[in-house]
Amino acid sequence: ISAVSKARKEQSLFNKEQDKKKSFSSSSTKIAQPTPPGKVLGKFIVPDWIRDRSSASLIVSKNNECIATIDLSKRDCFILGKQRELVHIPLEHDSISRQHIAIIHGQPDESLPLGWYLIDLNSVHGTFIEYLDSQSSSYSQRQKCKPNKP
């Protein structure tokens, strides 16, 4: 009986871990309505340059471990962080702030292309972007995002 009980407990822990990983991803098939400029999302105000959306995926990782894959085509604006009531994608890690980053599709400046922009929302630990070298499948560059700048 104790071996069966132990196996059930291990399966239960495995299922909880899988549910936790699933909760990180934006798996909903519903396409959101456009986000209006000026809309207040917690401490973030949607900029006037927001527009459109395009097909892309974002891989969120910590210490080279994938903790979320986000289908960016579902929305034109995402807020990621710990505080579930104020974010579109909840992330649970000690280094994540309540509202950590915003991801917005648009064109912040005429000199920049229309596309996806990541904005650090003054997070405590900062936000870094690592670029994947498609030929070697390894990260080739790491860049720190400036707070409140696309």
Side-chain angles (χ1 to χ4, degrees), residues 29-43:
T29 57
K30 185 177 178 183
I31 305 295
Q33 293 295 318
T35 308
K39 181 172 183 171
V40 178
L41 300 170
K43 67 181 179 179

Side-chain angles (χ1 to χ4, degrees), residues 1-11:
I1 295 177
S2 66
V4 172
S5 177
K6 184 178 179 182
R8 284 184 181 155
K9 185 175 181 180
E10 287 175 359
Q11 183 64 41

Side-chain angles (χ1 to χ4, degrees), residues 8 15 17 25 30 34 42 61 63 86 94 116 119 129 139:
R8 284 184 181 155
N15 290 342
E17 187 63 30
S25 68
K30 185 177 178 183
S61 65
N63 297 327
L86 295 175
D94 291 340
W116 290 102
I119 301 170
I129 299 174
Y139 292 104

